[in-house]
Amino acid sequence: MPLRAIRLALFALFTGCAALSAQTVDTLDSVLKARIDRIAAQVLELTGVPSASVAVVQHGKLAYTHAYGFARLATDTTPAVSATPDMRYSIGSISKQFTATAILLLQQDGKLSLDDAVGKYIPALTDGDKVTIRQILSHTSGYQDYWPEDYVMTPMLQPESAQQILDTWAKKALDFEPGTKWQYSNTNFVIAGRIVETVTGAPLMDLLVKRVFQPLGMTSVWNSDEAKLTSTDATPYYRHGLGPLRLAPKEGRGWMFAAGELAMTAHDLALWDESLIGRTVLKPESYKEMFTEVKLKDGKGTHYGLGVQVMDRDGHRSIEHSGEVSGFVSDDEVLVDDGVAVAVLTNQDAVGAASTIAHLDAPVALNAPLSASEQQAIDIFHGLQQGKIDRALLAPNLSDYFTAEALADFQQSLAPLGEPLSFHQSREVLRGGMVGRTFQIAYPEKRLTLTTYTYPDGKLEQYLIAPAE
């Protein structure tokens, strides 16, 4: 049996369908669970995406998994199949943080350094003596992206090797001087994956299985670059414009590699999120490297660490990434300091349903109590949905503003929206002797912005709602 076939067989033994454990977890508060279910169901209905698999981590532990919609649509000869938490979806570029982890593990082992030039390990790359491993992991290298498109081009239907990708795209002139700009590039992570394989003398997946997937109990992980998902997993779809959903084509072997090769259940992606929160796979200094925003040479921020986005979500540090390959889109958000994470996997490409669900679910999972200003603002919002306002809360100018016509307009426009999926304060400033506050109100189909001004005596001078920009 060829060596590659042996490796595939061994990998399948670890990650095959027979090894899948029960992926259903349900310890989340029933009220929060209902809100998360409503978010997912409404986003799928709005976007037409066939299914979503969602996993929620709360207090640092996996608390809820659920799947929505259809993993496989009906055909003339077969019925539709509902999505379940046991089904795998490709996670696309979320795979990049696993490749970055492999590099960091090798740095911990003393086998390489993030500040090594990539040419030390991969010869003949453009400016390989100048571009560092840190720069490829942070997308500040200048190497051109080999796959910026949101569809599978004709050449990608045929197999391709990592070396062929590098020969075509990483030997071009750089798009910019290393470290001077940020530009997302899958080519960077093909280089990173090859560095891991050069240093270890073995496939990238061997290291990940041994030092990440097995220790974390991620039994569903599948290398979808080597073999397509099975008939018991989610089916990938795409659309032409607004046309019907169609089976998405499969990329040829080799195209995804270290930039987007992994598939798994949302449950197992959430186990990885648990490890990011608990810092259990890497040493503390490695997590610091991964989670620290890389700055350009001029000092500008990139909102990117090593294989992960580094974002601020209303004062909460979020380590996150989205992913897309043919027929699948994913999103993973980890509020690492709060012990909260949301992993969302969907089975239609070029649609942002996964990110929408994750952005809305994360504040729900955080479950922070409403502040006094948020509680007052949402109480007034509920009143306006009924055409009512408590004038005792209003300063004279705002009381005059809320005429019978204004109240009727608020009721007519807000009542049909129902209960918001999320309602939170995003900004607070001082202006004109008052406290100005901005609130974000989210529905699946729209976002609203509420602005208020409050006098020191607590009276409101402004309460205005408009579509979010």
Side-chain angles (χ1 to χ4, degrees), residues 31-284:
V31 174
L32 300 183
K33 181 169 61 175
R35 290 177 64 189
I36 287 169
D37 290 346
R38 179 173 167 241
I39 287 168
Q42 291 191 12
V43 171
L44 291 186
E45 181 179 5
L46 176 71
T47 60
V49 170
S51 75
S53 187
V54 176
V56 176
V57 174
Q58 193 179 55
H59 309 303
K61 296 296 181 183
L62 182 56
Y64 187 53
T65 61
H66 198 73
Y68 311 83
F70 294 101
R72 194 167 306 111
L73 301 179
T75 68
D76 292 340
T77 58
T78 59
V81 177
S82 295
T84 72
D86 294 306
M87 293 177 172
R88 290 176 287 217
Y89 294 66
S90 289
I91 67 169
S93 288
I94 295 176
S95 304
K96 289 180 170 66
Q97 57 200 265
F98 294 96
T99 302
T101 297
I103 291 283
L104 289 166
L105 285 168
L106 292 178
Q107 179 173 253
Q108 290 177 183
D109 295 343
K111 295 182 177 179
L112 56 73
S113 167
L114 290 174
D115 296 317
D116 287 342
V118 296
K120 180 178 179 179
Y121 306 96
I122 310 296
L125 303 183
T126 301
D127 289 332
D129 59 335
K130 298 178 182 178
V131 177
T132 66
I133 295 175
R134 188 186 306 275
Q135 288 169 335
I136 62 171
L137 295 183
S138 61
H139 297 299
T140 58
S141 68
Y143 287 117
Q144 191 173 102
D145 190 3
Y146 73 88
W147 190 9
E149 297 86 351
D150 291 313
Y151 65 99
V152 178
M153 298 83 71
T154 301
M156 292 186 69
L157 298 174
Q158 302 302 317
E160 185 85 330
S161 70
Q163 189 59 52
Q164 287 171 317
I165 291 173
L166 298 185
D167 287 343
T168 304
W169 279 275
K171 295 182 181 180
K172 292 183 176 183
L174 298 182
D175 283 351
F176 51 83
E177 180 187 346
T180 62
K181 294 182 181 180
W182 185 90
Q183 179 177 266
Y184 194 86
S185 174
N186 289 290
T187 307
N188 287 318
F189 279 78
V190 174
I191 298 171
R194 287 294 300 126
I195 289 174
V196 172
E197 295 186 337
T198 299
V199 170
T200 64
L204 169 64
M205 291 301 299
D206 286 9
L207 185 150
L208 291 177
V209 167
K210 180 179 179 180
R211 301 184 67 176
V212 179
F213 304 144
Q214 285 182 337
L216 295 179
M218 297 171 63
T219 58
S220 74
V221 178
W222 183 265
N223 186 348
S224 59
D225 193 38
E226 290 287 349
K228 69 178 182 179
L229 288 170
T230 72
S231 60
T232 59
D233 295 314
T235 299
Y237 292 96
Y238 79 123
R239 295 181 192 272
H240 296 121
L242 302 180
L245 286 162
R246 299 186 182 279
L247 291 175
K250 177 71 175 71
E251 305 92 343
R253 185 173 63 82
W255 281 101
M256 294 186 290
F257 185 42
E261 77 278 30
L262 299 179
M264 64 187 71
T265 61
H267 172 284
D268 281 5
L269 183 54
L271 293 182
W272 166 251
D273 294 342
E274 282 188 8
S275 77
L276 295 182
I277 293 167
R279 277 68 158 188
T280 59
V281 171
L282 298 169
K283 294 179 179 179

Side-chain angles (χ1 to χ4, degrees), residues 1-11 203 225-227 253-254:
M1 181 181 289
L3 180 60
R4 177 175 169 269
I6 294 172
R7 291 190 184 279
L8 278 174
L10 290 173
F11 189 74
D225 193 38
E226 290 287 349
R253 185 173 63 82

Side-chain angles (χ1 to χ4, degrees), residues 282-316:
L282 298 169
K283 294 179 179 179
E285 55 266 31
S286 293
Y287 282 113
K288 184 177 180 180
E289 297 251 38
M290 177 182 273
F291 295 168
T292 298
E293 179 187 36
V294 172
K295 300 293 182 67
L296 301 177
K297 288 184 177 180
D298 62 5
K300 292 181 181 178
T302 61
H303 297 295
Y304 207 89
L306 305 181
V308 294
Q309 288 179 289
V310 182
M311 307 296 291
D312 182 285
R313 297 289 180 188
D314 300 322
H316 299 271

Side-chain angles (χ1 to χ4, degrees), residues 337-376:
D337 302 322
D338 301 286
V340 165
V342 178
V344 184
L345 312 179
T346 62
N347 62 332
Q348 182 188 338
D349 63 23
V351 181
S355 293
T356 300
I357 294 170
H359 290 335
L360 292 173
D361 277 353
V364 174
L366 187 60
N367 196 30
L370 293 179
S371 65
S373 59
E374 288 172 328
Q375 189 63 61
Q376 181 190 63

